[in-house]
Amino acid sequence: MQSGMGFLSGWLIAVLGERRVILMGGALGAVALALASCATELWELYVTYGVMLGLACSWIWQPCVLVVQRWFTRRRALASSLASSGAGVGTLCLGPGLAALIRHFGWQAAFRCLAGGIAALSCVVAALCRPPRLGDASGRRQSVPYLWTDGHHMPLLRRRPLLLMMFACGVGGLGWAVLAVHLVQHAKGRGVAEGQLPSLVSAIGIGLLCGRIPVGWLADKSGKRIRVFALVSATMGAANFWAAFVGSYEALLGAGTLFGFSAGAFVALIPTAVKEFTCIEALPQAAGLVYTAWGWAMALGPPLAGWMYDAIAPPSYAPGFCLAGSELVASALLLLGLDALVAAEQRDAAEAEVAAAEAEVVAAEEGRTE
């Protein structure tokens, strides 16, 4: 839900600005957790903790990541990686703290504490999330049309690079979460001891935290941010293939670490890659569309791998990992095609500017001759 509603979050950012959307997300998240603490039926948790909190996280996360793109140019990927690394730190710290709250006070009280925390922290984040001034002095904002033209902007869903980016992230999204969801059960089926299983999850978490910054630095250093994004997707695919064909604890630990390292970089580079072919004013909505394609596809991948596990005799997660790896490699190839398309469009635009300048010079010379 957090990523799947990206198109709505992007539109709200374009119309209201980052700060207001963050405050809206904090308020909705607090209400969602407070209502979830009173739930007595499973469907109530689906609505409050699943839908409402997921939407709130989208309204908090997306503005924080996208505002960074407006402040940085030369080191945009590194800045985006640093900003998104906070999510990994929060996950590592929140888990033990939440477990302690539940152990001492119960899950209802823990949810109420989280509600107060998200409300307070969203106010702090909104105060720190200061966007640079762009456009006219009044600070008015204008959304970019998604499909139908408004006479001033080309609709986003008619732009070839964006459509290709959405398709590439949708294909990659199908395989993105498969290893993270099924690695522990896969390792258990391969005979890994129960006491070693938690460290596989920890390896993914550490990789998610540590992979963003060096890959962001590499993307800026090379100047080929879309190509580095493709490399990250291909590396995630390799991690899935690795996990499918090994059985030892050490090998699976390596596969989980490699997956986490590249998966964290994948998340951090999405808005940076979109900015390579999108103007800064249209970035919130364009990135929101990419998040939407990626998020809904990501929700389908693990259930599909689980169905394959049940359908195959003897049951095995290896085919699901291989399918996920193939999807991520296919996404990498599509991203390389996107890089070529963007380069061609930029080259054509530069040639058109040169031709226009030459035409102006010729016209000026003819005017002086007359």
Side-chain angles (χ1 to χ4, degrees):
M1 181 61 68
Q2 175 180 332
S3 299
M5 296 303 293
F7 73 96
L8 176 60
S9 303
W11 179 79
L12 288 173
I13 294 169
V15 175
L16 301 176
E18 289 85 356
R19 283 178 165 173
R20 293 178 181 176
V21 177
I22 291 172
L23 291 174
M24 289 167 53
L28 179 61
V31 171
L33 286 167
L35 291 175
S37 69
C38 302
T40 57
E41 301 288 342
L42 183 59
W43 69 266
E44 294 174 344
L45 286 175
Y46 284 142
V47 173
T48 56
Y49 192 84
V51 177
M52 292 177 63
L53 185 59
L55 183 58
C57 290
S58 178
W59 290 355
I60 295 173
W61 161 265
Q62 201 164 314
C64 293
V65 174
L66 292 176
V67 74
V68 174
Q69 315 303 315
R70 301 172 63 184
W71 276 104
F72 294 88
T73 301
R74 187 167 60 90
R75 296 180 178 177
R76 179 177 285 126
L78 178 58
S80 180
S81 300
L82 285 168
S84 64
S85 294
V89 175
T91 301
L92 289 176
C93 297
L94 183 62
L98 184 59
L101 283 174
I102 294 173
R103 186 168 56 253
H104 289 94
F105 304 105
W107 68 271
Q108 292 94 339
F111 272 25
R112 295 185 186 111
C113 291
L114 285 178
I118 195 172
L121 287 176
S122 64
C123 293
V124 175
V125 171
L128 296 175
C129 189
R130 183 171 65 87
R133 290 190 174 274
L134 295 174
D136 58 15
S138 67
R140 291 194 306 268
R141 293 175 176 269
Q142 183 180 10
S143 63
V144 179
Y146 282 122
L147 189 58
W148 308 112
T149 182
D150 61 358
H152 302 286
H153 304 90
M154 181 181 181
L156 289 174
L157 290 174
R158 297 184 183 180
R159 302 182 185 184
R160 291 187 301 167
L162 179 58
L163 291 174
L164 184 54
M165 178 75 171
M166 291 173 63
F167 183 62
C169 286
V171 172
L174 289 171
W176 195 90
V178 171
L179 186 64
V181 172
H182 295 300
L183 179 60
V184 169
Q185 291 300 320
H186 175 68
K188 188 183 295 186
R190 293 295 175 95
V192 175
E194 288 283 345
Q196 295 175 318
L197 296 177
S199 61
L200 296 177
V201 180
S202 300
I204 294 177
I206 293 172
L208 284 168
L209 178 61
C210 298
R212 305 176 195 230
I213 295 175
V215 175
W217 174 85
L218 176 63
D220 287 332
K221 186 71 174 179
S222 65
K224 304 294 184 181
R225 295 182 177 116
I226 297 178
R227 292 187 187 180
V228 173
F229 189 40
L231 175 62
V232 165
S233 183
T235 304
M236 291 178 64
N240 275 270
F241 284 118
W242 184 357
F245 295 109
V246 299
S248 67
Y249 164 74
E250 292 77 13
L252 290 173
L253 188 69
T257 303
L258 180 63
F259 168 81
F261 189 92
S262 50
F266 188 99
V267 174
L269 289 179
I270 286 179
T272 303
V274 175
K275 179 59 188 69
E276 292 296 288
F277 55 83
T278 305
C279 64
I280 198 68
E281 292 80 6
L283 179 60
Q285 291 174 266
L289 288 170
V290 174
Y291 279 128
T292 298
W294 173 58
W296 289 114
M298 184 169 52
L300 298 175
L304 177 60
W307 174 83
M308 294 178 67
Y309 175 86
D310 293 332
I312 295 173
S316 173
Y317 285 107
F321 287 165
C322 289
L323 178 61
S326 300
E327 290 160 347
L328 288 161
V329 171
S331 176
L333 295 175
L334 290 169
L335 289 168
L336 291 177
L338 171 63
D339 183 70
L341 175 61
V342 171
E345 290 193 348
Q346 291 175 346
R347 184 170 56 251
D348 293 343
E351 292 174 355
E353 288 182 3
V354 171
E358 292 176 349
E360 289 181 1
V361 171
V362 171
E365 291 178 351
E366 291 177 351
R368 286 195 298 268
T369 303
E370 295 176 356

